[in-house]
């Protein structure tokens, strides 16, 4: 799914041994290739034919396949001369549109993965051809059924490709509205049973098409928080996989079962369930709603910068993931998006809304999702974002990665002397945070050091580091005088919470869903909807008060206020303060390394240790009946 950095050296099939906590040898490359191709955007037909065709069987592909099919179907109903000219032209036009659509679709893989302008015209042409193809098959369905032998799974393939186009347009633009359009087409395939007859044909490649459709549909539903649909799709996919492996002698049964394990672990990653009165689970959304960020009061003096670009980087070895999206990446992705809106009213039949009709103002910051990138890949995407960053805009870098620590003593304390976070080193990591030993006189070459980010501080930069060595980024020097803020996670958590790290970091959970994180550290695993909504309302009040504390502070670094004018960054900052204040008051968080930090440092007495904020946290704990797990000695002033 994630197109930023796809690494064959980090196969998805490692998820199962990681979840079980065992150390195993890397699986064979066959698994890596399978799972890498599973959600790829192009080349379905060629991949499947190459993989599933037995030796010695001639496979016709591309234009030759269409030409062969045209001649076969046109002659199957009788002599070609008996076919009316109009129907012959209909079939010929359909074959042309089908071939053209496949050529354009397959060409998507050749587009640059970074940059925001080079790909738009190509996407426009691809959407245009698929619009014509979809309408053409609707208008001439009877002729195509009789003369071309059009099958329902072929219609499903066209709809599936359109769904993929919308999904990849979302990845390119970060416009969540296009996820709804992808869902519309994927849902239509399921509702109209376009793939229902595939299982009756003795063609395993068609069944694999169906399985791949399910996997893509699940990804879109996860991003839209349609967890009830996800659970139904997982059950259907499980049944389809069982039938597929029973009917055909295939080598990919383990890989498909691994896909089921990944998505099952992903949907169970949230540590707290919100329940209705009938004990059904309430699906909560963590994207920015209209009332999500605290409003700026009249007279507040803040900067006019806006978040334009974000790099979301995931390189945690043991974290739950699906496709190339870790739980932490998923949560930060949603924290930087608004609630999606439908682009077009949903009719009985899905219609194509072309990307040219998108809103003129970008609602969400543009994002790159990089799963286990190498240093060179990360730097390439970072440089592309930096180059295209508009005036008065902010670049955000989110790092969720294994910590890399200094290997020896250093005479100096420069930006390369404190370690950093790990990038993909194209070698096997033994387990967890274990890094191969190097000559102590050399720096770790696969580490992203704080000094590596110095060139990009020439423009406003907002950094979030969630790592066991996040404090390395506390040693920044603002060389160019541009706004610069780093939010840094705790480097260690209390033992009672360490076992939950595979399900995502607590720090990122606070930035994504602070109430769920608060419940989790309070030892609560479920809550009724009414109480949840009451606590959410109180938390909004806390956020408003935190905003006032920050803007009214006389000693706060001006960099924080420069970023405070942007809704997304304002929400991240207020949630960071809430997270830090909660951990400092919690009785289980006793060590300094259990607390988040920032660069520049916040004035503690006016923010994270402010008595007024501490009183609010105790009141929230009282609502939940967990006040006893928080310190109250700072309340003497009241």
């Amino acid at each position: 799914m994630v197109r930023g950095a796809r690494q064959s050296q980090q196969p998805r099939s490692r998820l199962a041994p990681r979840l079980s906590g065992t150390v195993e040898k890397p699986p064979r490359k066959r698994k890596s290739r399978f799972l890498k191709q599973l959600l790829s955007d192009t080349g379905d037909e060629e991949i499947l034919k190459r993989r599933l065709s037995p030796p010695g069987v001639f496979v016709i592909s591309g234009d030759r396949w269409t030409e062969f099919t045209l001649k076969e179907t046109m002659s199957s109903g009788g002599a070609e001369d008996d076919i009316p000219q109009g129907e012959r032209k209909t079939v010929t036009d359909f074959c042309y549109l089908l071939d053209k659509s496949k050529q354009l679709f397959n060409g998507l893989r050749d587009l640059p993965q970074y940059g925001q302008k080079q790909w738009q015209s190509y996407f426009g042409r691809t959407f245009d051809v698929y619009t014509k193809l979809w309408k053409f098959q609707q208008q001439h369905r009877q002729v195509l059924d009789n003369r071309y032998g059009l099958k329902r799974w072929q219609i499903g393939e066209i709809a599936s490709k359109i769904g993929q186009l919308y999904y990849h347009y979302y990845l390119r633009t970060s416009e969540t509205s296009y996820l709804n359009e992808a869902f519309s087409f994927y849902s239509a395939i399921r509702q109209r049973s376009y793939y229902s007859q595939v299982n009756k044909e003795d063609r395993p490649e068609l069944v694999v098409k169906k399985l791949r459709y399910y996997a893509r549909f699940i990804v879109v539903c996860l991003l839209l928080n349609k967890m009830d649909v996800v659970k139904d799709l997982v059950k259907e996919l499980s049944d389809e996989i069982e039938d597929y492996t029973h009917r055909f002698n295939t080598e990919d049964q383990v890989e498909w079962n691994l896909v089921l394990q990944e998505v099952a672990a992903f949907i169970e990653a949230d540590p707290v369930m919100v329940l209705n009165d009938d004990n059904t689970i309430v699906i909560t959304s963590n994207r920015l709603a209209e009332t999500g960020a605290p409003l700026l009061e009249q007279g507040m003096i803040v900067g006019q910068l806006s978040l334009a670009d974000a790099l979301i980087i995931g390189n945690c070895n043991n974290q739950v993931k699906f496709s190339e999206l870790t739980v932490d990446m998923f949560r930060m992705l949603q924290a930087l998006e608004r609630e999606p809106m439908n682009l077009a009213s949903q009719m009985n039949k899905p219609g194509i809304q072309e990307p040219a009709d998108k809103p003129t103002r970008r609602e969400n910051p543009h994002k790159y999702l990089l799963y286990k990138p190498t240093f060179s890949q990360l730097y390439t995407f970072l440089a592309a974002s930096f180059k295209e960053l508009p005036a008065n805009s902010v670049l955000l870098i989110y790092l969720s990665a294994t910590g890399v620590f200094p290997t020896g003593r250093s005479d100096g304390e420069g930006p390369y002397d404190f370690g950093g976070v790990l990038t993909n080193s194209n070698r096997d990591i033994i387990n967890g945070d274990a890094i191969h030993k190097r000559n102590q006189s050399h720096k770790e070459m696969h580490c992203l050091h704080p000094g590596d980010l110095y060139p990009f501080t020439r423009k406003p930069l907002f950094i979030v580091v969630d790592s066991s060595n996040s404090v390395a980024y506390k040693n920044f020097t603002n060389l160019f005088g541009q706004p610069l803020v780093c939010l840094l996670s705790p480097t260690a958590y209390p033992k009672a919470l360490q076992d939950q790290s595979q399900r995502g970091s607590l720090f990122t959970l606070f930035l994504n869903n602070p109430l769920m994180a608060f419940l989790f550290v309070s030892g609560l695993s479920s809550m009724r909807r009414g109480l949840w909504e009451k606590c959410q309302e109180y938390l909004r009040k806390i956020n408003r008060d935190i905003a006032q504390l920050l803007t009214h502070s006389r000693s706060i670094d001006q960099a924080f206020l420069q970023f405070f004018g942007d809704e997304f960054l304002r929400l991240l900052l207020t949630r960071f303060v809430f997270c830090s204040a909660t951990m400092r008051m919690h009785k289980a968080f006793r060590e300094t390394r259990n607390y988040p930090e920032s660069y520049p440092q916040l004035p503690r007495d006016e923010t994270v240790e402010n008595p007024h904020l501490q009183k609010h946290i105790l009141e929230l704990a009282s609502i939940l009946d967990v006040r006893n797990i928080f310190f109250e000695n700072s309340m003497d002033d009241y």
Side-chain angles (χ1 to χ4, degrees), residues 27-38:
R28 290 178 295 168
K29 288 186 177 180
R30 173 177 57 83
K31 296 182 180 181
S32 174
R33 288 197 303 270
F34 170 85
L35 291 171
K36 184 174 289 296
Q37 293 167 355
L38 175 61

Side-chain angles (χ1 to χ4, degrees), residues 575-622:
R575 287 174 174 176
F576 173 81
V577 172
F578 175 74
C579 169
S580 185
T582 298
M583 291 179 177
R584 290 173 186 276
M585 295 183 65
H586 199 290
K587 293 180 180 179
F589 292 74
R590 300 177 180 178
E591 302 179 45
T592 303
R593 61 182 187 154
N594 295 154
Y595 306 144
E597 298 193 51
S598 66
Y599 171 86
Q601 288 189 355
L602 286 167
R604 292 182 184 176
D605 57 334
E606 296 180 352
T607 56
V608 297
E609 294 180 358
N610 179 276
H612 186 62
L613 175 57
Q614 292 175 338
K615 180 182 178 182
H616 280 326
I617 291 175
L618 288 176
E619 289 176 353
L620 179 61
S622 296

Side-chain angles (χ1 to χ4, degrees), residues 353-403:
Q353 183 76 13
E354 295 188 54
D357 298 330
K358 67 179 181 178
T360 55
R361 184 176 69 90
R362 174 181 291 163
E363 292 295 328
N364 297 318
H366 174 265
K367 295 179 291 296
Y368 290 117
L369 308 178
L370 305 182
Y371 174 70
K372 292 188 180 296
T374 63
F375 177 83
S376 60
Q377 288 172 326
L378 192 159
Y379 230 57
T380 299
F381 282 84
L382 188 54
S385 290
F386 179 83
K387 176 184 177 182
E388 297 188 351
L389 194 69
N392 299 318
S393 296
V394 181
L395 172 61
L396 182 146
I397 303 174
Y398 169 77
L399 298 168
S400 169
T402 300

